[in-house]
Amino acid sequence: ERRRDPAETVATRLKNARKELARAKEYDYLVVNDRLQRAVEQVDSIIEAESMRSSRSQGVIARFKVAGELDV
């Protein structure tokens, strides 16, 4: 339905996209929303990967340490 957007809306989107691309090297991930289903799958993958970062799993690691199952 974006083909029906007013020219001003399209111009704003393009302006924002240019700003984002200029700073792309600062991002951890890049998802291009040119095909919705693919973009959704990529974002889902990012969420899953982020949830498995060891830095987010310190509680699990601590439980193994307390149980004596880790020599860390």
Side-chain angles (χ1 to χ4, degrees), residues 19-55:
K19 287 179 184 178
E20 291 170 2
L21 285 172
R23 301 187 72 166
K25 64 180 179 257
E26 299 173 29
Y27 302 150
D28 292 326
Y29 303 96
L30 177 65
V31 175
V32 177
N33 189 10
D34 58 346
R35 292 194 343 233
L36 180 60
Q37 186 57 42
R38 186 173 121 216
V40 168
E41 290 167 2
Q42 289 173 336
V43 171
D44 283 345
S45 295
I46 292 167
I47 292 168
E48 184 174 359
E50 285 295 314
S51 73
M52 291 185 279
R53 280 188 183 262
S54 60
S55 62

